Amino acid sequence: MHHLARKLSEEMLKRNEVLVVTHIDADGIAAGSIACGSLTQAGIDHDILFVKSLDDDATGRILERSPEFVWFTDIGAGSYDLISEIPGIITDHHVPSESFAGGDSGRLLPPIRGKGPNMLNPHMYGLDGSLDLSGAGVTYILAKEMNSENVRLSGLAIVGAVGDMQDQNHRRLIGSNRKILSDAEEHGSVRIDTDIRYFGRETRPVPRLLKYSTDPLLPGLNGNHSACVTFLEEIGIPVKAGDDWRCWSDLSSSEKQRLVSALVTLLLESGLGREHIERVVGECYTLVQEKEKSVLRDAKEFATLLNSCGRYDKAEIGMEICLGNREESLDEALNLLRTHRGYLVESLKVAADTGIIELDHLQYFHGGTRIKDTVIGITAGILMSSPEIDKSRPLFAFAHSDEGVKVSARATKTLVSRGLDLSVVMREAAETMGGAGGGHNVAAGATIPYNREEEFLELAQNIIMSQMRPE
Ligand code: C5P
Ligand code: C5P
Ligand code: ZN
């Protein structure tokens, strides 16, 4: 991989002008920022275009600019046919489309030079793009080959990986992400802490951190603010310092230990097994150069802030923040974060109102026009990781978009280990009806023509049935 990265970096460094095209989610914004940061470092003129997906419309917008060279980050692998005439380089971690696969061996080969964009992608090396390396990570590998000074961007690669939930299954980053973590630690941008895994270590008042616990859910505390306050007071942890709520990062280490022990006791008393209890604590990544109590200090919070920008047409604000331009951008992003939180609560209510419909091989709900196409995937992801949901079949979610009906699908690692590959399900089912789809085995998406949901579900069920081995 490094050998190819070296060759591609030589190609990149020959350019006078590069158009970066990236995805609007946290990983995509982090990836695009790493690309722009390394192009600035190399003195290469560049511009950036954020896209929801690479479809005909997005390709048209790229071609309109007659770019000399395009750097696709966190996007491109799954839509290779559409961009195969565009000169450029792809650094992506999505499952590549068949048009990129070379030879009969099943091993993916880079295309012949000069014919289309070349690609650096973990799937070409037997790695899993949903776990081992993110779009920001693979972009970082190329950036580091361009100039070793670009290790200063390694923290963004960690934010990208965490934004794509690559630390979720194992409660730590694994695979090639660990090499990037070493770079980031060595460079002094990231510290690895073994800490509470609940969201909001730096900025959420502790009662809120407990109230919104999902993985594992805290019985009796989840959803109940006053119960969280009482719980903390009973174990001698003051919830306020003067008028201000205390956050997890304000607690002393003995208070943190006391709280974790109390949570473990609560979970044991509720009859939860070890596999749930051990999820309370795991690796967390602190961006030590960021101010204390800033949303940018914890990698998960940073990633959520980027999602709050990108999902609401403001990806460029997220990029400004990644590149260190904070003044106005940060205030605007914090406003967007408040909007995003409220929007997610509403989206989850919509899903609860409509109800989840169970079919033989999948379950689904339809957000209609009430959930944005850019947020339907996050909603499905949150639901799939919630304890109430049936984990024996993947969850599909629909929402209307300007381009057609957006579908997001989420699975669990157990379903994947039984053969399920949602990237194939989404691609094949969507392509059969003139749509497009792809992604990762555990999380994938598609856009299909209007009013074809039933037919899509039928096709998807058939593919799922053919993939899955019995339990
Ligand atoms: O487009 P991109 O690759 O950046 O997005 C990856 C998606 O996969 C994210 O929505 C992330 O939440 C999801 N994912 C998941 N479970 C995992 C790994 C990734 O739901 N274990
Ligand atoms: O949009 P959503 O979050 O559901 O996407 C899940 C994963 O599928 C992401 O990695 C996304 O980039 C990918 N995807 C894709 N092609 C699409 C839609 C989504 O590769 N048409
Ligand atoms: Zn990604």
Side-chain angles (χ1 to χ4, degrees):
M1 191 161 184
H2 282 283
H3 181 72
L4 178 59
R6 166 66 46 90
K7 280 171 60 185
L8 296 183
S9 79
E10 285 163 11
E11 286 292 314
M12 191 70 80
L13 290 169
K14 282 185 209 154
R15 308 294 147 185
N16 297 311
E17 216 180 282
V18 173
L19 175 64
V20 176
V21 176
T22 196
H23 194 207
I24 52 145
D25 72 352
D27 184 31
I29 297 172
S33 302
I34 293 171
C36 290
S38 57
L39 290 167
T40 303
Q41 197 281 335
I44 299 171
D45 275 347
H46 56 276
D47 199 357
I48 187 160
L49 184 65
F50 292 96
V51 296
K52 276 199 285 189
S53 64
L54 263 186
D55 52 14
D56 289 326
D57 174 63
T59 321
R61 283 194 287 145
I62 296 167
L63 292 174
E64 248 169 45
R65 298 179 176 224
S66 316
E68 177 195 313
F69 201 74
V70 179
W71 185 352
F72 294 95
T73 66
D74 191 38
I75 207 154
S79 337
Y80 196 77
D81 322 31
L82 281 177
I83 56 173
S84 60
E85 300 294 321
I86 299 177
I89 288 172
I90 304 169
T91 48
D92 190 9
H93 68 137
H94 291 100
V95 176
S97 50
E98 273 166 21
S99 53
F100 189 78
D104 301 325
S105 62
R107 185 173 159 80
L108 299 161
L109 301 169
I112 302 152
R113 253 173 69 185
K115 273 207 162 166
N118 216 319
M119 174 154 67
L120 198 62
N121 186 318
H123 290 280
M124 290 155 67
Y125 303 93
L127 297 167
D128 180 344
S130 73
L131 286 174
D132 297 322
L133 195 58
S134 67
V138 64
T139 303
Y140 168 76
I141 290 175
L142 180 55
K144 193 179 158 192
E145 289 296 336
M146 285 165 68
N147 193 311
S148 58
E149 266 184 32
N150 291 329
V151 287
R152 73 198 157 85
L153 303 168
S154 51
L156 291 176
I158 300 307
V159 171
V162 168
D164 268 5
M165 315 271 189
Q166 300 199 325
D167 61 332
Q168 206 177 34
N169 285 354
H170 299 84
R171 292 174 292 127
R172 67 203 288 268
L173 291 171
I174 61 160
S176 312
N177 282 317
R178 293 228 67 90
K179 289 216 170 100
I180 304 178
L181 258 181
S182 315
D183 278 8
E185 260 192 311
E186 231 167 82
H187 176 258
S189 39
V190 171
R191 190 182 66 217
I192 305 176
D193 295 322
T194 300
D195 207 348
I196 197 151
R197 296 248 323 141
Y198 290 130
F199 185 84
R201 281 192 309 149
E202 288 291 332
T203 67
R204 268 196 176 167
V206 185
R208 274 172 63 84
L209 180 131
L210 301 179
K211 178 183 169 190
Y212 292 107
S213 59
T214 53
D215 181 22
L217 188 141
L218 297 168
L221 300 184
N222 184 274
N224 186 340
H225 194 265
S226 59
C228 296
V229 171
T230 312
F231 182 81
L232 289 160
E233 285 171 350
E234 277 176 356
I235 56 169
I237 297 179
V239 290
K240 283 191 171 180
D243 288 340
D244 297 328
W245 288 100
R246 298 174 78 209
C247 298
W248 175 259
S249 57
D250 296 323
L251 268 49
S252 68
S253 52
S254 80
E255 284 176 318
K256 287 179 182 172
Q257 278 174 19
R258 210 169 336 135
L259 178 49
V260 169
S261 315
L263 295 177
V264 169
T265 308
L266 171 78
L267 291 166
L268 277 171
E269 283 170 355
S270 311
L272 270 103
R274 185 181 150 188
E275 70 280 16
H276 296 285
I277 293 172
E278 66 186 12
R279 296 192 63 77
V280 172
V281 170
E283 278 190 6
C284 297
Y285 307 107
T286 305
L287 293 124
V288 284
Q289 290 164 342
E290 302 294 343
K291 288 195 194 114
E292 285 186 8
K293 306 200 65 169
S294 151
V295 271
L296 305 177
R297 201 167 153 91
D298 172 70
K300 270 199 260 190
E301 293 194 66
F302 194 142
T304 302
L305 188 77
L306 295 182
N307 271 321
S308 309
C309 299
R311 312 279 179 168
Y312 304 87
D313 278 332
K314 298 276 188 221
E316 63 292 342
I317 292 176
M319 183 175 82
E320 288 300 318
I321 289 169
C322 288
L323 294 176
N325 313 326
R326 303 281 160 81
E327 283 170 15
E328 284 164 29
S329 307
L330 190 54
D331 282 341
E332 197 168 349
L334 290 172
N335 279 333
L336 289 161
L337 178 62
R338 277 185 281 277
T339 312
H340 181 50
R341 287 206 179 121
Y343 197 87
L344 282 181
V345 172
E346 287 308 310
S347 303
L348 290 165
K349 277 194 197 137
V350 171
D353 282 356
T354 44
I356 292 171
I357 296 161
E358 307 250 337
L359 303 179
D360 288 344
H361 304 285
L362 61 82
Q363 51 191 332
Y364 76 95
F365 68 94
H366 205 312
T369 52
R370 293 166 70 199
I371 305 181
K372 277 165 90 65
D373 59 332
T374 51
V375 180
I376 190 77
I378 301 183
T379 312
I382 295 174
L383 282 172
M384 196 63 197
S385 64
S386 76
E388 294 95 15
I389 197 121
D390 170 18
K391 301 276 195 304
S392 70
R393 61 201 100 184
L395 175 66
F396 282 53
F398 296 97
H400 275 275
S401 82
D402 293 343
E403 297 81 29
V405 176
K406 171 71 206 296
V407 201
S408 283
R410 296 292 185 273
T412 62
K413 79 171 190 286
T414 312
L415 291 171
V416 169
S417 69
R418 285 176 49 206
L420 180 70
D421 186 343
L422 289 174
S423 76
V424 174
V425 175
M426 296 308 255
R427 175 170 302 143
E428 288 184 357
E431 281 179 0
T432 307
M433 52 178 59
H440 307 286
N441 49 22
V442 72
T447 301
I448 58 170
Y450 295 113
N451 302 319
R452 305 274 293 274
E453 289 90 333
E454 274 190 27
E455 191 185 338
F456 179 82
L457 288 169
E458 184 73 42
L459 287 163
Q461 288 221 83
N462 284 334
I463 305 169
I464 294 170
M465 200 165 44
S466 71
Q467 288 179 340
M468 299 275 289
R469 289 181 292 275
E471 261 172 283

